[in-house]
Amino acid sequence: MTVGIRDVARAAGVSTATVSRALGKGPVSDALREQVEAAVRATGYRPNLSARRLRSQSAQTIGLIVADIRNPFFTAVSRAVEDAAYQAGMRLILCNTGEDAEREALYLRLMQEERVTGVVFAPTRRTAERLRPEDFPFPLVLIDRTGPPGGHDSVVLDNVAAGAALVDHLVEQGHSRIAGLFGSTSSTAEERRDGYLAAMHRHGLEPQMRHVLPDAEPAQGEVARWLAEPGRPEALVVSNGLILMGAVRAARAA
């Protein structure tokens, strides 16, 4: 038998309106809230989250849209966001886009339909360039990617400095034929490429640079071809974890 809010009200000895206020964090005393929560446990009542969402216009849910959960960086991000949502008593919707702008648009529409409280998003360059705050009924925070100035808040590294630091380290180790392999879809890869180029020019070295789809398989194929060519690179800078996986596989097989 389905347990409803009237059953909870009867068990608690209060009205259904009081039960709704107590469960919805409305204005009731602590003692009354505890009384209602005890009745919920006793009856096994489970609130109708869909109905509550329609009434409140908020799902108490965070949306997380990442490029690829297989990327170790986004694996760590997903765990951190989920932990934070759990601590706040919220749910999480996780979506993988595969760096596909059409899937990004689909998932952003889904977030609006689900009436999420907010979204953490790692967009492709194509999508990031056209994001406007007024297009969304929820706050949107970009992670690992940037959008137009003055648009959305973002949490990013100094990717230009990071790319340059990798080159500096390799030069200190005595390397000079330093190649760069960068993803072709994100602002992060662009910025790390810019740092690589700036450092190579600063050291008076000739850049060797290629672009691939940001995944292990295309990276592995590109590096395998590169290593089979005359004058192959002796060190490699890459722009993300999946490209690194493919590069390592190719190097081990060479």
Side-chain angles (χ1 to χ4, degrees):
M1 182 180 71
T2 302
V3 177
I5 194 170
R6 289 187 176 85
D7 301 300
V8 176
R10 189 178 304 111
V14 298
S15 68
T16 55
T18 298
V19 172
S20 294
R21 286 197 302 273
L23 297 181
K25 309 304 180 185
V28 298
S29 68
D30 291 342
L32 194 53
R33 193 183 310 279
E34 291 175 4
Q35 183 177 333
V36 170
E37 290 174 349
V40 168
R41 291 191 294 271
T43 59
Y45 172 67
R46 300 187 66 178
N48 186 325
L49 296 179
S50 296
R52 181 180 295 180
R53 181 165 66 242
L54 289 172
R55 289 193 300 271
S56 67
Q57 301 299 305
S58 174
Q60 291 299 297
T61 300
I62 297 294
L64 175 60
I65 306 175
V66 300
D68 195 328
I69 193 65
R70 296 173 303 163
N71 185 326
F73 172 76
F74 287 120
T75 303
V77 166
S78 300
R79 177 57 190 265
V81 173
E82 182 182 17
D83 287 348
Y86 175 78
Q87 291 296 325
M90 305 182 77
R91 300 179 301 162
L92 180 72
I93 298 175
L94 171 63
C95 300
N96 284 279
T97 67
E99 301 279 9
D100 184 326
E102 291 185 2
R103 287 177 67 175
E104 289 175 335
L106 171 66
Y107 290 141
L108 286 171
R109 289 195 298 272
L110 170 67
M111 297 303 170
Q112 295 186 58
E113 293 168 0
E114 291 294 326
R115 293 184 170 88
V116 297
T117 305
V119 171
V120 179
F121 184 25
T124 58
R125 181 178 61 252
R126 174 182 167 190
T127 295
E129 289 172 349
R130 60 190 186 204
L131 288 174
R132 299 182 304 172
E134 59 268 26
D135 290 339
F136 305 100
F138 45 71
L140 186 67
V141 176
L142 307 186
I143 187 166
D144 193 48
R145 315 285 171 87
T146 56
H152 297 275
D153 291 333
S154 59
V155 180
V156 294
L157 296 173
D158 186 340
N159 288 301
V160 175
L166 290 172
V167 173
D168 292 341
H169 172 73
L170 292 170
V171 170
E172 290 172 3
Q173 300 302 308
H175 300 293
S176 58
R177 294 198 308 277
I178 304 170
L181 186 61
F182 302 98
S184 57
T185 60
S186 73
S187 60
T188 301
E190 281 189 349
E191 292 164 3
R192 293 175 183 175
R193 177 205 62 197
D194 291 346
Y196 161 83
L197 287 172
M200 291 293 286
H201 291 314
R202 175 161 43 82
H203 288 290
L205 300 175
E206 184 67 28
Q208 301 180 55
M209 188 176 66
R210 298 183 184 182
H211 293 85
V212 293
L213 290 174
D215 206 343
E217 186 173 346
Q220 182 175 354
E222 190 63 46
V223 172
R225 288 187 290 273
W226 216 340
L227 294 178
E229 297 173 3
R232 70 183 195 176
E234 58 188 11
L236 183 64
V237 171
V238 302
S239 61
N240 77 14
L242 290 176
I243 293 176
L244 176 61
M245 289 179 187
V248 169
R249 291 172 190 164
R252 286 175 174 169

